[in-house]
C-alpha cells in the first residue's frame, strides 16, 4: 500500500526517478486490479488512514477528471506535481485539502516541471471558514488517536483561526495560510514529504558510504571498556582451565581430554552463574569503588552469557564422553548402552552414577535455557521461566553427585547464596506488610500502595521482589519501586499486566464485589481515611488490607544518578517507574525559594554530599494519550515545584512524546500540531497532558536530542534507560556516537 512509505525528495537523479515511476506503476497495478482504476475504497485501503476525511480529500484532488476513479496517468501527474512542483503548488495542495466546500474541477492550468498538464481541483469559496477548520482539526485528532473534549477542540480551532486570519475577515485565504505556515519553519522544510508521504520504493534511500562496524569503533570500545575487559578475562580463564585439565588427562586419549577440559570449565561456570545473581552482595558493591572496575550493571546480561556457555560446554562434554564410550566399548566387556545408561562400568565417584546423572543434567540444563528464552518470558508465559529456573537446586545437587570436585568450587559461593536466601526470607517476613490502597490505571496498570515498615530503607530506582499469597502463594516477582525514599509511610509499585501473574493481580483488584476491598476487612484508621476521601474514590481507586511479602531492596544502575553531572532519563511506557522514584527524590532534595519583593523564584540545593547533579533531562515516550495519566500528577507537581526562571536554565527539563500522534511532517497532522503549539503558548499548558511541557508527536530524533544535550555542556552526560530492548540498542548506539555513558535497567 501507499500509506507506509514516504515520497522521494527533489534531489532524485534521473535514474532514481525512472525507478520510482516504475515502482509506482507496479504498486498501482497491484491495488487497481483488472479494471486499471482505483476507486475510493481501494484508495482508503492503500493510504492506511484512520479517518476517511483525508482519504476523500486526497482522492478528490487526484481524481482530476471527476470520474470517481483514479487512473495511472492521474496518479503520476498528481504525484509529479507534489514532488517536482514549486513550494506554492505544494502549499496550494495543502490548502485545498483543508477547504471542505464542494469540489469543482477546472481545466488544466498548471504544468509540472516534467511537462505534464495537471488538473487543478478548486473550491467554490477559495477560503477556509471556522467550521471547515474545526472539521479538519477533528479529523486530525482522530487520525492521531488523541481524545479531547469538544470545548478544547473549539479552543484549538479558535487559536489557529485567529492566528491565521490576519485581516479579521472571518475566513482564511491561501495567502494567509501560507503566511501562517512560514511561522513554523520545520513544516516548511519538509513540505515535500508532507504533501505526498505515501510513495517511496525500497532501495531509493540515499546510499550511505560504508561505515566501520559499530563494534569496531573506538567509541564502542571506550564506552564498553569494563564489560569488554571482563569478557576478555572470563574467556582467558576458561581457556586456561580447559587447557590445564586437558594436559593433566593426556593419557586418556583425545576425547577423554576434551571431556575433562569441558568438565573443568563447567565446574567454574556452574558456580559463577550463581555468583552473578548474588543480588544483596551486588547491591552492596554498587556503593564501593568496585562499580568503577567491574560491569556490575550488566550482571543479568553476563548471567545469560554464562548460561549459554554452560549449555555449550555441557554439550561438548557429553559428546566427548559419548565418543570416548564408543572407543571403550570396543575394548572392554561393557557395551555402549551399558556405559551410557547403567552403573555397571563404575564410572563416577558415587556408585558409578556419572553417566546417568550426566544425561539428566544435560536435559535439565537445555530445558532451563530454552524456558528462559526471550520469546518465553515476553509472550505472557513468565511462570514457565520462573518455575523451570527453580530447578537450579536439583542441578547443583546432581553436579555434586556427578563430579567429585564440584563441591570444592561450590562450597563458598553456595554458603553465601544460602545466607542471602535466609536473609531474604527473614526480611520479607519481618513485620506485617499490607497493600493498603489500589489504583487501577489505563493500559491495565495496577498501582499498589504498600504500608512501608520502619526498617525498610532504599534508594531511588531500587526494585523489590513481591509475593501476594492471595494471587499466588509461592511466586515472587520483581518490580521497581516508584515512590521516593523520602516518602516515609508508604511504598509504591506500578505493575503493568503482561503475563499470567500480573493479569491475575489486575483482575483480583478489579472485581467490584471482591472481599479484598470489603469494608469488613478495613481497619478503623482506613475506614476513617476512606470516609474523608470518599468523594475522590472511583471504582478504580480503592482502599484495602491485603497481606503481602517484600524481599529487597536491590540496587540498579540508577543508583549512580545523583553522582552524575548531567543525567538524561529515558522511560518508554511503564519504564518510567524507576524514574518516578528518582524525580520525586529530586523534589525532596530541591527547595524552591521565592523573592518576597517580586515574583522571581529560584531553586536551592539541599546540602547532600551525594548530589552532584547540575542538569536533568527527562524523556517519556508513550504510545497513547491515556498512558500519560499514570504519573501526570507527579509531573505536574515537579513543574510547580520548579523555579520559573533560573540564571543558567532550568534544572529539570521534561520532554513528552506520543508515538501514535502523527508528526508535523505528515499532512494529516500539520494543522493540528500548529493549533496545539499556538494554544499551548496561549494557555501555558499542553492540551494533551495538562502539563506546561508540550507533548511532541511521533518519536524522538535521537541525533538531534543528544546533540542539544552535548551543546549544553553541563558536565559528563549519563543516560539512564528503562523500556523495550529494541529501543535500548538504538539509544546505546547514539550514546556511543556522542561519548555518553549508557545505563539500562535489567532485572
Amino acid at each position: 500500500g501507499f500509506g507506509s512509505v514516504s515520497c522521494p525528495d527533489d534531489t532524485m537523479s534521473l535514474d532514481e526517478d525512472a525507478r520510482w515511476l516504475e515502482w509506482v506503476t507496479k504498486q498501482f497495478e497491484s491495488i487497481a486490479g483488472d479494471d486499471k482504476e482505483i476507486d475510493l475504497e481501494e484508495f482508503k485501503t492503500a493510504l492506511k488512514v484512520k479517518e476517511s476525511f483525508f482519504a476523500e480529500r486526497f482522492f478528490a484532488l487526484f481524481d482530476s477528471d471527476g470520474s470517481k476513479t483514479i487512473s495511472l496517468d492521474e496518479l503520476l501527474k498528481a504525484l509529479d506535481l507534489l514532488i517536482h512542483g514549486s513550494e506554492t503548488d505544494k502549499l496550494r495542495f495543502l490548502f485545498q485539502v483543508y477547504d471542505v466546500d464542494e469540489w469543482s474541477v477546472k481545466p488544466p492550468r498548471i504544468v509540472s516541471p516534467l511537462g505534464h498538464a495537471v488538473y487543478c481541483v478548486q473550491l467554490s469559496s477559495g477560503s477556509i471558514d471556522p467550521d471547515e477548520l474545526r472539521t479538519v482539526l477533528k479529523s486530525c485528532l482522530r487520525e492521531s488517536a488523541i481524545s479531547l473534549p469538544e470545548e478544547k477542540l473549539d479552543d484549538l480551532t479558535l487559536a489557529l483561526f485567529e492566528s491565521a486570519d490576519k485581516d479579521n475577515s472571518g475566513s482564511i485565504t491561501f495567502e494567509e495560510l501560507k503566511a501562517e505556515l512560514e511561522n513554523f519553519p520545520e513544516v516548511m522544510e519538509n513540505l515535500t514529504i508532507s504533501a505526498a508521504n505515501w510513495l517511496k520504493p525500497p532501495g531509493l534511500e540515499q546510499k550511505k558510504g560504508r561505515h566501520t562496524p559499530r563494534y569496531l569503533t573506538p567509541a564502542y570500545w571506550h564506552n564498553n571498556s569494563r564489560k569488554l575487559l571482563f569478557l576478555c578475562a572470563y574467556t582467558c580463564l576458561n581457556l586456561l582451565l580447559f587447557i590445564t585439565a586437558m594436559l593433566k588427562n593426556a593419557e586418556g586419549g583425545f576425547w577423554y581430554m576434551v571431556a575433562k577440559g569441558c568438565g573443568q570449565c563447567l565446574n567454574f561456570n556452574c558456580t559463577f552463574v550463581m555468583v552473578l545473581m548474588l543480588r544483596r552482595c551486588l547491591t552492596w558493591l554498587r556503593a564501593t569503588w568496585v562499580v568503577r572496575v567491574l560491569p556490575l550493571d550488566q550482571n543479568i546480561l553476563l548471567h545469560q552469557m554464562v548460561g549459554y556457555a554452560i549449555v555449550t560446554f555441557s554439550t561438548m562434554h557429553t559428546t566427548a564422553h559419548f565418543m570416548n564410550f564408543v572407543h571403550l566399548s570396543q575394548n572392554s566387556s561393557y557395551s555402549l548402552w551399558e556405559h551410557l545408561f547403567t552403573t555397571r562400568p563404575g564410572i563416577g565417584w558415587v556408585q558409578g552414577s556419572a553417566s546417568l546423572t550426566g544425561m539428566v543434567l544435560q536435559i535439565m540444563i537445555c530445558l532451563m535455557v530454552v524456558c528462559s528464552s526471550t520469546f518465553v518470558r515476553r509472550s505472557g508465559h513468565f511462570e514457565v521461566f520462573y518455575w523451570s529456573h527453580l530447578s537450579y537446586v536439583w542441578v547443583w545437587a546432581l553436579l555434586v553427585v556427578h563430579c567429585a570436585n564440584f563441591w570444592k568450587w561450590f562450597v563458598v559461593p553456595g554458603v553465601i547464596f544460602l545466607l542471602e536466601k535466609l536473609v531474604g526470607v527473614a526480611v520479607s517476613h519481618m513485620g506485617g506488610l499490607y497493600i493498603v490502597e489500589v489504583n487501577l490505571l489505563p493500559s491495565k496498570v495496577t498501582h499498589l500502595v504498600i504500608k512501608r515498615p520502619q526498617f525498610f530503607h532504599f534508594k531511588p530506582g531500587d526494585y523489590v521482589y513481591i509475593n501476594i499469597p492471595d494471587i499466588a502463594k509461592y511466586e515472587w516477582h520483581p518490580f521497581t519501586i516508584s515512590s521516593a525514599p523520602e516518602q516515609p509511610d508508604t511504598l509504591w509499585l506500578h505493575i503493568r499486566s503482561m503475563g499470567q501473574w500480573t493479569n491475575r493481580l489486575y483482575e483480583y483488584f478489579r472485581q467490584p464485589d471482591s472481599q479484598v476491598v470489603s469494608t469488613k476487612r478495613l481497619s478503623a484508621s482506613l475506614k476513617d481515611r476512606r470516609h474523608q476521601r470518599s468523594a475522590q474514590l472511583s471504582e478504580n481507586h480503592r482502599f484495602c488490607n491485603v497481606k503481602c511479602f517484600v524481599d529487597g531492596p536491590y540496587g540498579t544502575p540508577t543508583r549512580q544518578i545523583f553522582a552524575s553531572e548531567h543525567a538524561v532519563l529515558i522511560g518508554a511506557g511503564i519504564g518510567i517507574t524507576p524514574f518516578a522514584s528518582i524525580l520525586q527524590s529530586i523534589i525532596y532534595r530541591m527547595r524552591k525559594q521565592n523573592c518576597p519583593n517580586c515574583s522571581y523564584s529560584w531553586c536551592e540545593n539541599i546540602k547532600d554530599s551525594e548530589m552532584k547533579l547540575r542538569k536533568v533531562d527527562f524523556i517519556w515516550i508513550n504510545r497513547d494519550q491515556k498512558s500519560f495519566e499514570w504519573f501526570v500528577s507527579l509531573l505536574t507537581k515537579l513543574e510547580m515545584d520548579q523555579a520559573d526562571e533560573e540564571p543558567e536554565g532550568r534544572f529539570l527539563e521534561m520532554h513528552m512524546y506520543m508515538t501514535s500522534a502523527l508528526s508535523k511532517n505528515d499532512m494529516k497532522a500539520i494543522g493540528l500540531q500548529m493549533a496545539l503549539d499556538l494554544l499551548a503558548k496561549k494557555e501555558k499548558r499542553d492540551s494533551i497532558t495538562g502539563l506546561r511541557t508540550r507533548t511532541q508527536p511521533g518519536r524522538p530524533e535521537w541525533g538531534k536530542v543528544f546533540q542539544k544535550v552535548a551543546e549544553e555542556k553541563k558536565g559528563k552526560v549519563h543516560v539512564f534507560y528503562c523500556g523495550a530492548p529494541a529501543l535500548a540498542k538504538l539509544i546505546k548506539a547514539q550514546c556511543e556516537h556522542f561519548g555518553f555513558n549508557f545505563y539500562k535497567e535489567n532485572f
Side-chain angles (χ1 to χ4, degrees):
F2 300 157
S4 60
V5 288
S6 304
C7 77
D9 57 28
D10 297 308
T11 62
M12 285 198 308
S13 65
L14 292 177
D15 179 59
E16 289 174 339
D17 202 357
R19 287 174 57 201
W20 175 74
L21 290 173
E22 180 183 356
W23 188 83
V24 170
T25 303
K26 290 181 179 178
Q27 288 294 102
F28 177 87
E29 291 173 351
S30 66
I31 296 168
D34 296 334
D35 60 357
K36 305 299 182 183
E37 299 278 341
I38 296 178
D39 60 26
L40 180 58
E41 292 305 316
E42 290 171 332
F43 192 73
K44 288 180 181 179
T45 303
L47 280 182
K48 297 181 181 178
V49 294
K50 300 174 186 174
E51 263 298 303
S52 61
F53 171 86
F54 289 104
E56 292 169 1
R57 294 295 173 269
F58 297 152
F59 184 85
L61 281 172
F62 280 39
D63 180 21
S64 57
D65 60 3
S67 64
K68 299 188 184 304
T69 59
I70 300 175
S71 65
L72 176 60
D73 186 55
E74 287 176 323
L75 178 66
L76 291 175
K77 287 176 181 178
L79 291 177
D80 184 35
L81 173 68
L82 295 175
I83 295 165
H84 299 289
S86 66
E87 185 179 275
T88 301
D89 293 334
K90 297 169 187 175
L91 281 171
R92 190 169 294 281
F93 178 89
L94 175 64
F95 181 82
Q96 291 173 337
V97 169
Y98 278 36
D99 194 339
V100 191
D101 286 333
E102 293 297 326
W103 303 90
S104 60
V105 182
K106 300 297 180 183
R109 63 184 185 84
I110 298 177
V111 178
S112 75
L114 295 185
H116 297 303
V118 180
Y119 285 89
C120 179
V121 183
Q122 279 197 325
L123 305 176
S124 56
S125 67
S127 62
I128 303 171
D129 61 38
D131 290 336
E132 290 175 320
L133 185 58
R134 190 181 192 279
T135 301
V136 173
L137 294 182
K138 189 172 185 178
S139 297
C140 289
L141 286 171
R142 291 175 181 170
E143 194 71 34
S144 290
I146 299 174
S147 177
L148 295 177
E150 292 295 318
E151 296 80 7
K152 185 62 69 174
L153 176 59
D154 292 337
D155 293 340
L156 288 170
T157 304
L158 184 62
L160 180 55
F161 193 85
E162 287 182 343
S163 179
D165 184 18
K166 307 296 184 184
D167 59 2
N168 296 320
S169 63
S171 63
I172 301 173
T173 63
F174 170 72
E175 294 299 329
E176 287 176 329
L177 180 64
K178 181 180 179 181
E180 183 65 23
L181 278 167
E182 289 173 352
N183 295 326
F184 297 85
E186 67 275 15
V187 174
M188 297 295 289
E189 289 173 6
N190 296 281
L191 191 58
T192 298
I193 298 174
S194 303
N197 66 338
W198 314 298
L199 292 169
K200 186 175 185 180
L204 265 192
E205 295 86 352
Q206 188 177 1
K207 293 183 180 180
K208 297 180 180 180
R210 288 193 174 184
H211 294 287
T212 305
R214 174 188 164 212
Y215 298 105
L216 299 179
T217 60
Y220 176 83
W221 283 79
H222 173 75
N223 291 312
N224 296 274
S225 56
R226 288 180 300 166
K227 182 180 73 172
L228 294 172
L229 288 173
F230 183 84
L231 289 176
C232 286
Y234 169 77
T235 303
C236 291
L237 180 57
N238 275 283
L239 283 173
L240 179 63
L241 291 172
F242 184 84
I243 294 171
T244 303
M246 283 187 68
L247 295 176
K248 286 184 178 179
N249 296 276
E251 72 283 353
F254 174 75
W255 290 113
Y256 185 74
M257 293 168 63
V258 172
K260 285 297 184 179
C262 291
Q264 188 74 323
C265 291
L266 284 169
N267 285 334
F268 164 66
N269 282 279
C270 289
T271 302
F272 187 55
V273 75
M274 170 183 58
V275 172
L276 291 169
M277 299 308 293
L278 296 174
R279 295 186 179 88
R280 292 187 185 277
C281 292
L282 293 176
T283 299
W284 173 74
L285 287 174
R286 288 179 193 277
T288 68
W289 59 269
V290 177
V291 74
R292 297 192 294 270
V293 179
L294 299 178
L296 301 181
D297 297 337
Q298 296 171 308
N299 66 305
I300 299 294
L301 173 64
L302 296 174
H303 174 81
Q304 293 171 342
M305 294 177 67
V306 174
Y308 290 127
I310 290 173
V311 172
T312 303
F313 284 126
S314 64
T315 303
M316 293 172 59
H317 180 73
T318 302
T319 303
H321 269 310
F322 176 82
M323 298 302 297
N324 188 49
F325 289 158
V326 170
H327 174 72
L328 291 176
S329 63
Q330 296 172 351
N331 302 306
S332 68
S333 58
Y334 298 107
S335 65
L336 176 61
W337 180 85
E338 288 176 307
H339 276 97
L340 291 174
F341 300 107
T342 71
T343 60
R344 295 170 192 167
I347 300 174
W349 75 298
V350 181
Q351 299 182 355
S353 61
S355 295
L356 289 175
T357 54
M359 298 290 286
V360 174
L361 280 167
Q362 182 69 64
I363 294 171
M364 293 183 69
I365 290 171
C366 289
L367 283 175
M368 286 180 69
V369 171
V370 170
C371 293
S372 63
S373 300
T374 303
F375 75 89
V376 174
R377 291 184 289 111
R378 303 289 183 183
S379 60
H381 298 88
F382 183 83
E383 284 75 8
V384 174
F385 158 74
Y386 179 82
W387 289 108
S388 64
H389 237 57
L390 289 180
S391 60
Y392 65 78
V393 177
W394 299 107
V395 170
W396 288 335
L398 287 171
L399 282 169
V400 172
V401 175
H402 178 77
C403 177
N405 293 319
F406 178 71
W407 70 271
K408 299 175 184 177
W409 292 82
F410 180 77
V411 61
V412 174
V415 169
I416 297 174
F417 183 83
L418 179 61
L419 288 174
E420 277 214 356
K421 288 295 181 183
L422 292 175
V423 170
V425 171
V427 169
S428 64
H429 287 76
M430 285 178 63
L433 289 185
Y434 290 89
I435 301 170
V436 296
E437 191 173 342
V438 178
N439 194 10
L440 301 182
L441 301 173
S443 301
K444 296 187 73 174
V445 172
T446 308
H447 174 201
L448 301 180
V449 180
I450 303 171
K451 185 179 179 182
R452 179 178 171 184
Q454 293 182 350
F455 62 85
F456 191 89
H457 303 289
F458 67 97
K459 292 191 175 183
D462 284 0
Y463 69 98
V464 295
Y465 279 81
I466 185 171
N467 167 255
I468 305 175
D470 287 357
I471 306 298
K473 190 173 183 179
Y474 300 107
E475 292 186 26
W476 293 78
H477 295 271
F479 298 102
T480 305
I481 302 170
S482 53
S483 54
E486 293 85 356
Q487 188 174 318
D489 300 328
T490 57
L491 190 72
W492 292 1
L493 299 179
H494 283 74
I495 302 171
R496 186 168 189 177
S497 300
M498 297 183 67
Q500 295 179 14
W501 188 90
T502 52
N503 280 321
R504 288 202 304 268
L505 175 72
Y506 185 86
E507 293 299 325
Y508 179 74
F509 287 111
R510 194 170 69 92
Q511 298 301 323
D513 299 326
S514 175
Q515 292 183 354
V516 300
V517 293
S518 171
T519 55
K520 294 180 181 179
R521 298 184 63 183
L522 296 175
S523 64
S525 60
L526 287 177
K527 285 182 180 179
D528 295 339
R529 190 176 171 191
R530 182 176 186 178
H531 177 71
Q532 293 171 3
R533 295 179 56 191
S534 59
Q536 301 178 22
L537 296 181
S538 67
E539 60 179 7
N540 293 329
H541 187 183
R542 306 171 181 177
F543 293 101
C544 57
N545 201 33
V546 179
K547 182 72 174 179
C548 67
F549 300 96
V550 172
D551 177 26
Y554 297 111
T556 65
T558 52
R559 282 201 168 196
Q560 301 182 47
I561 182 173
F562 291 106
S564 310
E565 292 178 313
H566 189 167
V568 180
L569 314 181
I570 304 174
I574 198 64
I576 187 183
T577 48
F579 306 131
S581 174
I582 291 166
L583 293 173
Q584 289 177 88
S585 187
I586 288 175
I587 291 177
Y588 285 103
R589 296 179 187 225
M590 302 296 293
R591 183 186 294 115
K592 183 176 179 179
Q593 303 287 349
N594 295 288
C595 177
N597 301 320
C598 65
S599 60
Y600 181 76
S601 62
W602 69 97
C603 285
E604 178 182 294
N605 278 334
I606 295 176
K607 297 301 181 182
D608 188 340
S609 59
E610 296 181 1
M611 184 78 162
K612 297 180 181 178
L613 278 173
R614 298 170 58 193
K615 177 71 184 294
V616 176
D617 280 286
F618 170 61
I619 302 172
W620 190 14
I621 308 164
N622 271 317
R623 179 176 179 79
D624 51 49
Q625 182 181 0
K626 288 185 177 180
S627 298
F628 287 103
E629 297 175 16
W630 297 339
F631 293 98
V632 70
S633 59
L634 165 64
L635 300 178
T636 301
K637 181 172 175 55
L638 275 169
E639 288 186 329
M640 292 176 61
D641 286 358
Q642 270 211 103
D644 296 328
E645 298 290 339
E646 288 289 327
E648 299 180 1
R650 296 177 70 85
F651 171 78
L652 171 65
E653 283 193 32
M654 295 192 289
H655 314 268
M656 308 294 161
Y657 290 89
M658 182 174 165
T659 59
S660 67
L662 301 178
S663 68
K664 295 176 182 178
N665 295 340
D666 195 309
M667 180 181 296
K668 301 185 292 295
I670 290 176
L672 173 62
Q673 294 303 327
M674 290 167 58
L676 287 170
D677 280 345
L678 291 167
L679 190 60
K681 291 178 181 177
K682 179 180 178 181
E683 297 182 347
K684 296 185 178 180
R685 192 167 300 278
D686 182 57
S687 298
I688 298 175
T689 62
L691 300 170
R692 287 189 291 183
T693 301
R694 169 79 163 90
T695 301
Q696 299 299 323
R699 291 173 171 79
E701 296 183 41
W702 296 110
K704 293 182 179 179
V705 171
F706 287 162
Q707 181 64 43
K708 181 176 180 295
V709 169
E711 290 172 354
E712 291 182 358
K713 297 181 180 180
K714 294 288 186 178
K716 184 66 176 176
V717 178
H718 295 251
V719 178
F720 300 86
Y721 172 77
C722 185
L727 182 56
K729 293 180 181 178
L730 179 63
I731 295 174
K732 185 176 182 180
Q734 288 289 340
C735 288
E736 290 166 4
H737 176 72
F738 284 93
F740 299 163
N741 290 336
F742 177 78
Y743 304 90
K744 179 180 178 295
E745 286 288 321
N746 267 318
F747 54 83

